[in-house]
Amino acid sequence: MSTENLTYADQTTTDGGTKIWRGKLTFIMAAAGSAVGLGNLWKFPYIAGENGGGAFVLVYLACILLFGIPLMMAEIGIGRSTRHNAVDAFGTLAGKAGANPLWKGIGGLAVTTSYLILSFYIVVAGWCLYYFWITANGTFTATTTVDTAFTGGTFESLLADPVTLITFSVIFLLITFAIISSGIEKGIEKAINWLMPSLMLMLAVLIGYSAANGNFEAAVNFLFNADFSKLSSEAIFIAIGHSFFTLSLASASIITYGAYMPAKSSITKTAFAVAGIDTLVALTAGLAIFPLVFQFGLEPGAGPGLMFISLPLIFSDMPYGQLFGSVFFFMLFIAALTSAISLMEPTVAWLERRFSLRRRTATFLTTLSLWVVSLGTVFSLNIWNSPVFFGKTFFDALDYVTANVFMSIGAIATAVFCGYVLKRPQLDAMFSTDPQAIPVFRFFIRYVVPAFVAVLVIAAL
Ligand code: PHE
């Protein structure tokens, strides 16, 4: 199903009725919205903090450059050249290459990955929504003394309370449902056009605030001074997994969005733009958070609670803390929303086609089942707080298995598929907009990506 002969005039619907976004920038904004999420704003600062800062950041940057960008190009190309959901995209390409149709299993694994990530993502997004609510309400700026015991207690009581956790994750899930069920243009494209500029604006305001009020120098030192003696093999493994997670790779999101990308946009430029924005936001988030952490003499390696325990403490003590604290948590919520949209779309797109469902029905079924699965994460934080898998709770196990195991397998399989299974004419059709990039792409996807991922995984083990 070649896309070369698509003209801008026929961009509303094409093969099989797949919609294509009208805006030239929509794909970049949507993919950047997918990439920029809790991974950048919540996870990156705390894993960088836990793993010693500079050296970890360097490994992470190398991962983005050496295999993040080539894989991103591969996934955009797979989606756009087939205009299918991830499962059928791999199936169609494998069929044309005369390869085993079971290759579509990689698409199935990717859709499963996005579905499972979303099941816990909505719970953490619910925390952000709850924190926006209580920060705006003045919980952390009230007259009572706010100390670590207080903010720590607030976070612990949230995690211990299934009803509140369910309430806020369901609100978040329903907002995602409303956007996805309204369609690719009227739902996703329209929402993205509003959400992404607001997100960038809030981030700019917050970094200014942090630079004005915090210890910027200490933060820059922490993030960019590489001390390799602090780098453990586990840190390397975490950096690899995180580079997939943060770029939304190996999880069907980019392939699915690629199917809606206009035929004329350059894949290379787009991939660099998306990875560039994502990296910039992660580093910016670090530069917005750590100056405050150091200014207040707090612990940079505080773990997942960094955002929910340390930051409220800081906001309670700073000028206009209630206002900026609320903006901060609202920004987290928006960033989570644009990622959640991209996490739900792969399952919905697949269900629609596989069972010939209406979009609304497919979205409804996805939402309802996700809610049930998300209860596993909710309860693993309180009443079911026992190890179920390799000493990890349900939530930790899901996070670990998706980001580290499923994504590594999916990424290597995608590289092998593009590098060795697809025929050269298929690559030419995939990269019809960037033929000059094919030799470099091929070299990276055949040799650098598999070797690099394998070496790093072995080093980590
Ligand atoms: N990239 C998102 C983040 O950093 C998470 C995500 C993973 C979104 C996979 C889509 C697919 O938070």
Side-chain angles (χ1 to χ4, degrees):
M1 237 168 270
S2 149
T3 53
E4 282 111 296
N5 42 13
L6 276 180
T7 64
Y8 272 83
D10 54 35
Q11 266 184 16
T12 27
T13 48
T14 80
D15 342 39
T18 302
K19 292 251 190 267
I20 297 180
W21 283 320
R22 293 181 157 271
K24 266 192 127 183
L25 287 180
T26 305
F27 177 85
I28 293 190
M29 284 206 293
S34 168
V36 172
L38 297 173
N40 306 59
L41 302 169
W42 168 63
K43 212 169 165 188
F44 176 74
Y46 89 71
I47 57 178
E50 279 180 337
N51 292 292
F56 176 85
V57 174
L58 215 64
V59 175
Y60 161 81
L61 291 177
C63 292
I64 299 281
L65 212 60
L66 291 173
F67 56 73
I69 292 176
L71 279 169
M72 167 95 48
M73 290 173 65
E75 297 198 2
I76 300 174
I78 292 172
R80 190 173 71 174
S81 64
T82 58
R83 303 259 178 239
H84 278 319
N85 65 77
V87 178
D88 293 308
F90 276 101
T92 308
L93 288 171
K96 280 195 183 163
N100 193 322
L102 286 181
W103 275 104
K104 75 178 176 192
I106 314 174
L109 177 69
V111 173
T112 309
T113 304
S114 62
Y115 181 89
L116 291 177
I117 291 176
L118 188 54
S119 80
F120 67 79
Y121 211 81
I122 61 169
V123 178
V124 181
W127 302 351
C128 302
L129 210 52
Y130 173 80
Y131 265 75
F132 163 66
W133 171 248
I134 62 170
T135 309
N137 262 340
T139 302
F140 300 114
T141 35
T143 39
T144 47
T145 28
V146 176
D147 53 14
T148 333
F150 179 78
T151 58
T154 309
F155 188 54
E156 266 166 35
S157 17
L158 169 65
L159 299 193
D161 174 8
V163 177
T164 310
L165 290 174
I166 292 173
T167 308
F168 282 87
S169 58
V170 165
I171 297 174
F172 182 83
L173 186 57
L174 289 178
I175 298 172
T176 313
F177 167 82
I179 294 170
I180 294 283
S181 65
S182 307
I184 293 158
E185 263 175 294
K186 293 204 181 98
I188 303 179
E189 182 163 20
K190 222 164 144 191
I192 290 294
N193 284 340
W194 279 98
L195 296 174
M196 285 312 282
S198 338
L199 183 61
M200 293 302 155
L201 186 72
M202 285 185 277
L203 195 62
V205 168
L206 286 169
I207 191 164
Y209 177 73
S210 179
N213 290 291
N215 185 347
F216 209 66
E217 213 188 307
V220 172
N221 256 331
F222 179 71
L223 284 173
F224 299 108
N225 246 346
D227 175 358
F228 283 94
S229 65
K230 281 194 191 146
L231 195 67
S232 67
S233 50
E234 200 191 344
I236 298 177
F237 202 50
I238 294 177
I240 309 173
H242 188 66
S243 61
F244 297 135
F245 185 84
T246 189
L247 290 179
S248 306
L249 296 171
S251 56
S253 296
I254 299 297
I255 296 183
T256 310
Y257 276 1
Y260 313 144
M261 178 186 183
K264 286 192 179 164
S265 316
S266 151
I267 290 187
T268 317
K269 282 188 200 148
T270 306
F272 271 94
V274 174
I277 295 172
D278 185 71
T279 307
L280 205 68
V281 172
L283 296 177
T284 307
L287 289 178
I289 292 166
F290 286 116
L292 303 177
V293 169
F294 288 117
Q295 180 75 23
F296 285 78
L298 296 170
E299 180 49 52
L306 183 66
M307 193 132 282
F308 299 101
I309 298 173
S310 310
L311 283 188
L313 193 66
I314 293 165
F315 289 128
S316 74
D317 215 37
M318 288 201 338
Y320 305 104
Q322 184 171 353
L323 175 67
F324 284 95
S326 316
V327 172
F328 181 83
F329 287 111
F330 193 70
M331 174 184 78
L332 278 181
F333 156 67
I334 299 290
L337 183 60
T338 55
S339 298
I341 296 171
S342 78
L343 285 163
M344 193 186 272
E345 180 64 21
T347 306
V348 171
W350 174 72
L351 278 178
E352 258 185 302
R353 193 177 152 98
R354 175 69 181 74
F355 300 102
S356 306
L357 296 179
R358 291 196 0 241
R359 190 168 179 89
R360 253 179 199 280
T361 318
T363 316
F364 176 75
L365 292 175
T366 309
T367 304
L368 189 69
S369 64
L370 268 168
W371 177 68
V372 175
V373 181
S374 78
L375 294 178
T377 294
V378 167
F379 293 139
S380 77
L381 295 167
N382 37 68
I383 54 180
W384 185 33
N385 189 358
S386 48
V388 289
F389 186 76
F390 282 102
K392 293 181 190 293
T393 65
F394 183 77
F395 176 24
D396 290 338
L398 261 190
D399 181 17
Y400 185 82
V401 167
T402 49
N404 297 305
V405 183
F406 285 6
M407 284 184 162
S408 300
I409 297 174
I412 295 185
T414 305
V416 169
F417 184 73
C418 288
Y420 298 94
V421 175
L422 291 186
K423 300 279 183 282
R424 182 60 200 246
Q426 291 182 291
L427 283 185
D428 291 338
M430 253 164 84
F431 291 101
S432 57
T433 45
D434 323 50
Q436 71 293 353
I438 296 177
V440 185
F441 169 77
R442 231 173 157 219
F443 175 76
F444 268 82
I445 215 79
R446 293 189 116 189
Y447 308 112
V448 180
V449 176
F452 195 69
V453 176
V455 166
L456 286 183
V457 169
I458 291 167
L461 294 179

